[in-house]
Amino acid sequence: MQEASMKLTESLHEVYEPEWYGKDDVMTIGKNCDALWEDFHQKLVDGALITLDTYLGQFPDIKTRIAKRSRKLIDYDSARHHLETMQNSKRKDDGKMTKAEEEFNKAQKVFEELNIDLQEELPSLWDSRVGFYVNTFKNVTNLESKFHREIAVLCHKLYEVMTKLGEQHADKAFTIQGAPSDTGPLRLAKTPSPPDQESPPESPEASPNHMLAPASPAPARPKSPSQVTESSDTWDDSIVSLLVFFPTEV
């Protein structure tokens, strides 16, 4: 939309002749429109897109920590299983038993630290989505509302300039085929309507009770050369069918 507005402004500035009414006003309005679009775009970036990027920036770290917790859970479960195996073994080795307990305690500590942190952060992150949505869309709608109010004022000014330009050149009316008619200096021609189609003549064989007579049989479909015969009866039937559909005037 911003690009289209700028192109429209450039085109208007190029075709607007110096002696026409409101040349300076048209230039000023075009520049102000471009400035409004640029300001709206910048505020939209600052008030919505940057906030959105900041909010979304939390998720890669959260996903990494969740994946790490899953791996540490596997290590924790493996250490627990290894310790239980050592404890249930008939031939117990105190040295191996002590090492297995140390590995189990270490794996358990690492997993629980990660798990506790995530259990505290994830609910608050989930709940924060409501406030984020509210603030973001309030900012966006407020910016759009202000922008449209200001751009509407400029559009109205441009409309007034075009109206006075039309009054200045009221004797130079022209027509545009296909456009709706107008009562102002710009007189537009309506598109000529197609001629009314003549209704088909009433069948002379209509019954007294206004019921149409049975339709005449349709002409035979054209056949391929291999199916065409030289029979005189076939030619007679075709001629009769054509005369029924295209009666000659007497």
Side-chain angles (χ1 to χ4, degrees):
M1 289 296 293
Q2 180 181 5
E3 185 68 20
S5 177
M6 294 177 65
K7 293 295 183 183
L8 179 61
T9 300
E10 292 176 2
S11 301
L12 183 60
H13 290 174
E14 289 178 2
V15 302
Y16 214 87
E17 300 181 12
E19 66 273 10
W20 287 359
Y21 173 84
K23 171 68 174 179
D24 295 337
D25 293 337
V26 170
M27 299 295 292
T28 301
I29 291 172
K31 292 179 181 179
N32 290 340
C33 284
D34 293 344
L36 278 179
W37 272 107
E38 188 65 29
D39 181 67
F40 172 67
H41 179 265
Q42 187 60 44
K43 288 182 178 179
L44 189 63
V45 171
D46 296 339
L49 297 183
I50 293 179
T51 305
L52 178 62
D53 289 341
T54 302
Y55 179 75
L56 296 178
Q58 307 174 85
F59 292 97
D61 177 65
I62 292 294
K63 291 175 65 177
T64 300
R65 292 165 60 190
I66 291 175
K68 184 177 180 180
R69 181 185 64 174
S70 299
R71 295 194 301 269
K72 295 304 178 181
L73 176 60
I74 295 175
D75 295 341
Y76 172 47
D77 187 66
S78 177
R80 179 182 58 80
H81 179 71
H82 180 64
L83 178 61
E84 290 176 352
T85 302
M86 296 291 295
Q87 290 175 345
N88 296 330
S89 176
K90 296 180 178 180
R91 300 179 57 183
K92 297 183 179 180
D93 189 330
D94 293 339
K96 291 182 178 180
M97 181 73 68
T98 302
K99 184 178 180 180
E101 290 177 353
E102 292 177 354
E103 291 178 352
F104 169 76
N105 293 333
K106 181 180 179 181
Q108 183 183 26
K109 181 180 179 181
V110 172
F111 168 75
E112 289 181 350
E113 288 178 352
L114 290 172
N115 190 45
I116 291 174
D117 291 342
L118 288 174
Q119 286 180 346
E120 292 176 354
E121 293 183 28
L122 290 177
S124 59
L125 178 62
W126 172 253
D127 294 338
S128 68
R129 75 193 189 285
V130 179
F132 168 75
Y133 296 153
V134 170
N135 293 333
T136 300
F137 286 102
K138 282 179 62 176
N139 290 337
V140 171
T141 53
N142 182 54
L143 288 173
E144 286 189 350
S145 177
K146 181 181 178 182
F147 166 76
H148 288 301
R149 285 197 305 268
E150 294 176 347
I151 203 75
V153 174
L154 295 178
C155 290
H156 183 69
K157 291 181 179 179
L158 182 61
Y159 173 82
E160 292 178 343
V161 173
M162 295 296 105
T163 301
K164 293 182 179 179
L165 176 63
E167 295 172 354
Q168 180 185 13
H169 299 274
D171 58 331
K172 301 177 182 179
F174 60 96
T175 60
I176 300 178
Q177 295 293 334
S181 61
D182 195 356
T183 57
L186 178 61
R187 294 190 290 275
L188 306 176
K190 293 184 177 180
T191 304
S193 58
D196 296 335
Q197 294 182 355
E198 297 182 358
S199 58
E202 185 177 358
S203 174
E205 299 180 0
S207 58
N209 61 352
H210 304 288
M211 296 294 291
L212 295 178
S216 302
R221 291 185 178 179
K223 299 182 180 180
S224 62
S226 61
Q227 296 175 322
V228 175
T229 63
E230 297 293 337
S231 173
S232 60
D233 294 338
T234 303
W235 282 105
D236 292 340
D237 293 341
S238 300
I239 293 174
V240 171
S241 299
L242 291 174
L243 290 176
V244 171
F245 275 83
F246 302 96
T248 58
E249 297 180 359
V250 179

